[in-house]
Amino acid sequence: MSIIRQGSLFDLQDLYDLEPTQRYDAILSEFDTDSILHKVNKKSWLGAPTELNYAAMINSLHIRIVERIPTVKDLIKRLKDDFIFKLNCGFLISDRVPSEAAYSRLITKLDASIVLEEANETVVNQAISEGFITDDAVALDATHFEARDQAHPKEEKPATVPKKRGRKSKAEREQWLIDQAEQEANLPIFEKKIEAQLDVSLDELRATLPQNPQWGVKKNSEGKNVFWYGYKAHLAVGTQSQYILQSLFSSGNLNDGKAAIPLLKGIAERLPLPSLNYAMMDAGYDFEPIYAQNHQIGLQSVIAYNKRNEPEPIGFDKHFVPTCVREHSYRYDSYDAKYETLKYTRPKECVECPLAQDDLCQKVYKVKITTDLRRYTAPARGSKAWKTLFKQRTAVERVNAYLKEYFQLNNVRYRTGKRARVHFNLVTLVYNASKLACDRINQLLIQQAA
């Protein structure tokens, strides 16, 4: 991974200079612990009384991420050995330190609900209402992290009937097409083509997302394939504020492009962001349904083009900009949002060209982006404005690096995908809460200086 030359993500020093009690309070106060406690606490007065301090246990799970404590076992040891740390987590003097089994039951209850995702969205909405998120662009990307266990041995595939060689008859081919269509219709939504997600609700997409650890592959900076066994974190990050606006946890073998539509739908349906205009992604997201989803929710696509054995367009350059008779590229002029039209003007090489004097080359060229959403984007591909916007995509890569280095994203200590999802949700929640706490501290410092 190349070094990202960009300003600091947020000033963690302002947060870590505080005393532990103040630091924990600054982070934990950013989300509603009571709503999480309501999901895991005992619902009835009947039966044995509750002896555990669940509120303090929830706080300690978040503080474990902040303090980079590797395991729950180490967390319990710290609670037993450090009396001040125990009080900072919210335990009373009379409270006994919970066991590993108690924490395991708590994580099971958190896994059975979506309360952590709801708390994360509440933090983001609070940051929007306070004016900390005013982004006009969002960047999407995925990062991988390994599972705790090694991959299970592959099962031997059952013997299949050898295929009949040669061309199929007309009747056999018609039956084969019917069988293929029926097989495609019965596949899970994330094993179908990406365009199948356009008409599916956000709740259904999130509920059917594969989450078991699987083998994944990705090319490194040297162009070689790197394999890992585990999961993927799919993030949609504001390029200026660098909050995690939406996040998804999936199996390691899920294609990055198949998580884009749920992320975009989540932003459109759950976050009030009228200032958002652009969505930046790398070439791994270059699929027509993603452009269609962006257009449907009112965002312009700034996605790197992935050429797939496609013929060179006639009368256009590699960025699909129209060319003159002598194959000089027209200059991008402007975009008319009302008519969704790109405007190009005559190349500067044609000023003294005799062909232009004879009106063989038109002065202005206009094209609607709806002609082909993948080729024609606003601003136009290859233009200076497009390149400037695309550079902002590094924000999501920077957030990925911070989650792994400072927030223990790659320190999964659970054997199942569902429990690993709880760890992922804790990481993203603590990150956004820390970001909001730092923004509030910075705002207070600015007001005091004024």
Side-chain angles (χ1 to χ4, degrees):
M1 181 178 176
S2 60
I3 297 175
I4 303 171
R5 298 184 179 275
Q6 188 173 338
S8 177
L9 177 61
F10 60 87
D11 196 359
L12 281 173
Q13 194 63 40
D14 287 338
L15 191 64
Y16 282 92
D17 283 345
L18 300 175
E19 293 296 325
T21 303
Q22 297 175 334
R23 181 167 67 248
Y24 301 156
D25 288 343
I27 296 174
L28 297 176
S29 63
E30 306 305 338
F31 51 87
D32 187 9
T33 308
D34 293 337
S35 62
I36 303 176
L37 182 62
H38 177 72
K39 294 290 184 181
V40 300
N41 214 349
K42 189 177 177 182
K43 301 296 187 298
S44 173
W45 292 101
L46 302 177
T50 302
E51 299 179 355
L52 297 175
N53 189 340
Y54 277 111
M57 291 177 66
I58 294 170
N59 291 342
S60 64
L61 286 178
H62 292 96
I63 292 174
R64 171 181 165 249
I65 303 296
V66 175
E67 293 293 334
R68 304 171 200 167
I69 300 174
T71 64
V72 173
K73 184 177 181 180
D74 293 329
L75 173 63
I76 295 173
K77 186 176 184 300
R78 176 82 178 270
L79 289 171
K80 291 180 178 179
D81 297 341
D82 192 340
F83 178 72
I84 302 300
F85 179 76
K86 178 182 177 181
L87 296 179
N88 287 337
C89 289
F91 289 99
L92 302 177
I93 298 177
S94 58
D95 289 336
R96 65 182 179 87
V97 176
S99 63
E100 287 189 65
Y103 274 103
S104 178
R105 290 192 294 269
L106 173 61
I107 293 170
T108 300
K109 292 181 179 180
L110 291 175
D111 168 54
S113 67
I114 59 171
V115 63
L116 293 178
E117 291 94 324
E118 292 174 347
N120 200 1
E121 289 185 359
T122 302
V123 172
V124 175
N125 280 304
Q126 183 64 31
I128 294 173
S129 64
E130 295 184 20
F132 295 127
I133 301 179
T134 57
D135 301 87
D136 67 339
V138 60
L140 275 65
D141 201 3
T143 185
H144 72 275
F145 52 102
E146 296 184 0
R148 180 183 178 184
D149 291 345
Q150 296 181 352
H152 299 290
K154 294 183 178 179
E155 298 180 357
E156 295 185 1
K157 295 183 178 180
T160 57
V161 179
K163 296 182 180 180
K164 181 181 177 182
R165 303 183 66 179
R167 175 177 256 175
K168 295 182 176 66
S169 65
K170 185 176 181 180
E172 289 177 337
R173 177 166 178 78
E174 290 177 355
Q175 184 60 40
W176 179 80
L177 291 174
I178 294 174
D179 294 340
Q180 288 293 108
E182 183 178 355
Q183 184 179 358
E184 176 73 18
N186 294 329
L187 288 174
I189 186 64
F190 283 95
E191 292 184 18
K192 296 180 180 180
K193 295 181 179 180
I194 297 180
E195 52 263 28
Q197 300 180 10
L198 292 173
D199 299 327
V200 181
S201 66
L202 175 62
D203 293 336
E204 184 178 350
L205 288 174
R206 284 182 168 270
T208 56
L209 195 69
Q211 297 177 350
N212 292 323
Q214 296 291 342
W215 278 104
V217 59
K218 191 172 185 178
K219 289 188 180 296
N220 59 13
S221 58
E222 300 177 355
K224 298 181 180 179
N225 288 334
V226 178
F227 297 89
W228 81 92
Y229 181 75
Y231 314 99
K232 271 188 180 180
H234 305 270
L235 304 179
V237 175
T239 56
Q240 298 299 323
S241 65
Q242 297 186 7
Y243 280 85
I244 300 175
L245 304 180
Q246 287 287 298
S247 60
L248 287 176
F249 170 85
S250 76
S251 302
N253 62 346
L254 185 72
N255 183 279
D256 293 357
K258 291 190 175 182
I261 291 179
L263 290 173
L264 294 170
K265 285 187 174 184
I267 293 173
E269 296 179 14
R270 298 184 177 180
L271 299 180
L273 285 172
S275 61
L276 206 60
N277 294 319
Y278 305 100
M280 273 85 74
M281 309 168 210
D282 60 22
Y285 295 86
D286 184 31
F287 297 97
E288 292 182 2
I290 297 177
Y291 291 90
Q293 179 64 38
N294 279 332
H295 185 261
Q296 181 179 347
I297 62 177
L299 297 182
Q300 299 295 340
S301 302
V302 183
I303 305 175
Y305 191 78
N306 187 6
K307 187 177 179 181
R308 306 185 184 95
N309 297 323
E310 297 170 342
E312 292 289 342
I314 300 175
F316 299 87
D317 65 8
K318 63 179 180 180
H319 299 299
F320 309 104
V321 177
T323 57
C324 67
V325 177
R326 291 189 173 182
E327 297 186 354
H328 296 300
S329 298
Y330 276 65
R331 292 179 292 177
Y332 171 66
D333 182 85
S334 59
Y335 172 69
D336 189 342
K338 180 178 180 180
Y339 298 101
E340 297 184 322
T341 302
L342 298 173
K343 179 183 177 182
Y344 298 90
T345 58
R346 180 179 290 172
K348 55 185 179 181
E349 293 87 355
C350 297
V351 174
E352 299 179 355
C353 178
L355 297 177
Q357 302 299 329
D358 296 337
D359 293 334
L360 292 179
C361 291
Q362 61 190 71
K363 293 181 179 181
V364 177
Y365 192 98
K366 293 184 179 181
V367 58
K368 281 184 170 290
I369 63 171
T370 52
T371 304
D372 190 333
L373 292 173
R374 183 169 170 241
R375 291 188 174 187
Y376 305 114
T377 63
R381 287 187 181 276
S383 64
K384 185 178 180 180
W386 189 95
K387 294 177 181 178
T388 302
L389 281 171
F390 189 73
K391 288 179 181 178
Q392 299 180 23
R393 195 193 63 83
T394 56
V396 66
E397 296 179 353
R398 192 172 178 85
V399 172
N400 285 336
Y402 266 81
L403 292 183
K404 287 185 175 182
E405 186 172 356
Y406 297 108
F407 293 90
Q408 301 195 77
L409 177 61
N410 55 354
N411 183 31
V412 177
R413 309 302 300 179
Y414 308 108
R415 298 183 183 276
T416 62
K418 291 184 177 181
R419 292 196 165 200
R421 181 175 65 90
V422 174
H423 173 78
F424 170 74
N425 290 330
L426 286 171
V427 167
T428 54
L429 177 57
V430 171
Y431 169 85
N432 277 337
S434 301
K435 184 72 177 69
L436 181 56
C438 285
D439 284 344
R440 286 176 171 174
I441 291 173
N442 290 331
Q443 186 182 57
L444 181 61
L445 293 174
I446 291 173
Q447 291 175 353
Q448 290 176 349

